[in-house]
Amino acid sequence: MCYDRIMSTRPPNILYLNTHDTGRAVGAMGAAARTPNLDRLAGEGALFRNCHCAGPTCSPSRAALLTGMVPHSCGMLGLAHRGWSLADPSWTLPSHLRRHGYATCAWNMPTNHCTHWQADQRAQAAAHGYDAFLPGQDVADACRWLESPPDQPFFLSLSWTLTHRIGRGFTARPDPSRHDPRWTAPPAPLPDAPAVRADWAHFLCDVAEWDRQLGLVLTALERSGRAADTIVVATTDHGVPFPTMKCNPTVHGTGVFLVMRGPGFAGGLAVDELVSQIDLFPTVCAAAGLPVPARVQGVDLRPTLEGRAVRDHITAEVTYHAAYEPWRAYRTTRHLYVRRFGERRLPVLPNCDASPSRDYWLAAGWPLLALPDEELYDGVLDPQERRNLVGDPQHAAVLRELRDRLDGWMQATDDPLLHGPVPLPHGGL
């Protein structure tokens, strides 16, 4: 099927497929996970290989993605269920699209994690721009909606928690028909130990199950007859839920997969330019011919499809997750600079969900690994971002430059950390 042009004069539909905590652990990014449906989607569209979230924690990253604004600018400085919320829920992409004639629908909307759970989920969804809400018990509900979509252009959001470890059991063995722990290598920086191998194999099985369900949704889109004029976006919120990954400023925490297919996004492209998830909002608007609100801080990604860079830097941040641990990160095409604020300099252990890998690290002394005030990494000579170059005289000039650039960005965006410690919201945890 042809996905490289809009098949009618109407704006394209948007199918937004998002999963929790998957990082870059998908086949299209070279990981061992068996994800044939996502791989096929990438082969028909564009894979953004150097995409990063704006904050490697659940609510801030998702809020940034759906508003096109960094977390401290849109108000989401911590988790929604701990009291944080968007400064204005109408700032979301679905709200913007609805104002321009789109029908909007969310499946499993609470897992978008941009607002505290409310008993009236339909009202909650409506406040964030959704006309319709589908409970998340069975993806078949979303498939049925997709097979008989409304007449006007639509925005359908699906959110999965399959790869989010909280509340899931980890005593069962992984399915060896999908991923056998004997032949599974954990990604760096995890050690190649039996318990970690089995844990990683189990996680990859969850990724494979998510991909199976993704395939059901893509099949439903084909059956609807609307695939050719639908932009499909597939991504995740941040890095995988393993030690030193999720909630961390290095590529292991901020690196995500991003695939787009549809009108204007075709050909199996592998895009290497540096991009941020806050760029999705303006990119979708540009593809649909819609104006971009002035508050949006992202940029249109479409020039990268022709090999043109649209950014010389991106940023990432954490203020609150399981605890107050403020840091800000400034990433260029080669270097990553991180600065920590506040007093805490030991890992916040609840940031990493319970798992055998977490237990292995705890037993090995992870709680005592002190975190530095500043970090500087060379992403070319040290792609795992493990060797901190702060204090290396050969990198003194780079360090000074990135310190200044981070300061400038914080001032330009009126980062609340400039005014002192950030308090919890009223009633927050």
Side-chain angles (χ1 to χ4, degrees), residues 39-231:
D39 299 350
R40 177 171 60 87
L41 190 72
E44 297 167 342
L47 170 67
F48 295 85
R49 297 190 58 89
N50 198 10
C51 183
H52 295 259
C53 66
T57 69
C58 297
S59 299
S61 64
R62 291 171 175 274
L65 198 156
L66 287 173
T67 63
M69 305 165 69
V70 297
H72 70 256
S73 293
C74 68
M76 192 68 79
L77 284 87
L79 297 174
H81 66 275
R82 293 182 179 270
W84 296 96
S85 62
L86 291 173
D88 186 335
S90 71
W91 285 352
T92 64
L93 178 61
S95 289
H96 186 64
L97 294 175
R98 182 169 66 176
R99 287 191 289 270
H100 288 85
Y102 275 72
T104 57
C105 180
W107 175 77
N108 211 8
M109 188 267 176
T111 65
N112 280 328
H113 216 182
C114 289
T115 183
H116 186 59
W117 186 89
Q118 301 173 15
D120 188 346
Q121 295 184 34
R122 294 186 184 279
Q124 183 180 22
H128 287 78
Y130 295 101
D131 300 317
F133 164 71
L134 304 173
Q137 286 82 4
D138 192 340
V139 74
D141 295 335
C143 291
R144 283 190 288 271
W145 189 96
L146 191 55
E147 288 177 355
S148 299
D151 292 335
Q152 71 262 47
F154 64 80
F155 175 88
L156 174 61
S157 168
L158 282 79
S159 184
W160 283 267
T161 56
L162 279 166
T163 52
H164 196 302
R165 316 205 84 180
I166 291 178
R168 297 179 58 79
F170 295 100
T171 56
R173 296 178 180 177
D175 180 356
S177 68
R178 283 180 166 173
H179 289 281
D180 192 321
R182 295 175 298 172
W183 325 128
T184 300
L190 297 178
D192 189 8
V196 181
R197 282 200 301 271
D199 193 24
W200 184 246
H202 198 163
F203 180 78
L204 294 181
C205 288
D206 286 342
V207 175
E209 172 57 22
W210 167 73
D211 182 79
R212 184 190 71 82
Q213 295 190 22
L214 178 76
L216 298 177
V217 175
L218 295 176
T219 297
L221 176 62
E222 295 290 344
R223 289 175 179 168
S224 74
R226 304 284 288 277
D229 60 351
T230 298
I231 295 176

Side-chain angles (χ1 to χ4, degrees), residues 239-318:
V240 297
F242 285 78
T244 73
M245 297 185 177
K246 174 181 177 178
C247 296
N248 285 271
T250 64
V251 67
H252 306 293
T254 66
V256 294
F257 74 88
L258 172 62
V259 174
M260 299 183 71
R261 186 198 75 183
F265 302 90
L269 299 175
V271 179
D272 291 304
E273 277 68 32
L274 181 67
V275 303
S276 170
Q277 283 188 332
I278 67 171
D279 300 330
L280 181 63
F281 191 125
T283 301
V284 167
C285 289
L290 301 180
V292 179
R295 65 178 178 272
V296 170
Q297 297 163 329
V299 297
D300 182 2
L301 293 179
R302 293 179 302 165
T304 66
L305 303 177
E306 300 174 355
R308 290 183 284 151
V310 295
R311 288 183 164 277
D312 64 1
H313 76 279
I314 60 167
T315 60
E317 64 186 82
V318 166

Side-chain angles (χ1 to χ4, degrees), residues 157 358 373 429:
S157 168
R358 182 178 185 270
D373 293 343
L429 301 175

